[in-house]
Amino acid sequence: MAEDVLNLVKSAEIDADSLVEVAKKEADGIIKDSKATAEDSYRTIIEDAKSKANKIMEDAKNSASANKEPIISKAEEAALLIKKQEESKINQIIDSLIERIVENGNS
């Protein structure tokens, strides 16, 4: 009878060890699956973030391009006005010099 009890205990230990091994394998599988899912989620999140960042950059470039056109146009107009004013001043100086030369002669 004691031998039967010992055999039952040994059998229960063997069964328990077997269940522990099965549980460890299942746990390892779950961990691997979880890691793969986490990596996929991470990649998806990173790709979405990069896509959003690229869109923001593109929108900013387009906005800056649209905003620069009127500024450049105003600057070109101002440059033309400055050139015209300077040309008239130059013409006045030339006219003044010609008058002085004519009044004072060739000397």
Side-chain angles (χ1 to χ4, degrees):
M1 184 181 223
E3 197 173 303
D4 290 340
V5 171
L6 283 174
N7 286 336
L8 285 174
V9 169
K10 283 184 181 180
S11 176
E13 286 177 348
I14 291 170
D15 289 344
D17 287 341
S18 176
L19 288 173
V20 168
E21 287 299 316
V22 169
K24 284 182 181 179
K25 288 179 183 178
E26 287 181 11
D28 287 342
I30 291 170
I31 290 170
K32 286 179 184 177
D33 290 345
S34 296
K35 284 182 179 180
T37 301
E39 287 178 13
D40 288 343
S41 295
Y42 172 77
R43 284 188 195 110
T44 301
I45 290 168
I46 294 298
E47 287 174 9
D48 289 346
K50 285 181 180 179
S51 176
K52 287 178 183 177
N54 287 337
K55 182 169 181 359
I56 289 170
M57 288 294 291
E58 190 64 31
D59 290 346
K61 286 179 184 178
N62 291 340
S63 177
S65 179
N67 289 338
K68 77 176 180 181
E69 293 302 324
I71 294 170
I72 290 173
S73 173
K74 286 181 184 178
E76 288 173 346
E77 289 174 13
L80 287 174
L81 287 175
I82 291 171
K83 284 181 182 178
K84 286 181 182 178
Q85 288 177 0
E86 289 178 1
E87 186 177 326
S88 66
K89 287 181 183 178
I90 291 172
N91 287 338
Q92 285 176 353
I93 292 171
I94 290 172
D95 290 343
S96 176
L97 288 173
I98 290 172
E99 283 181 26
R100 286 185 185 172
I101 291 171
V102 169
E103 287 178 5
N104 293 328
N106 254 347
S107 50

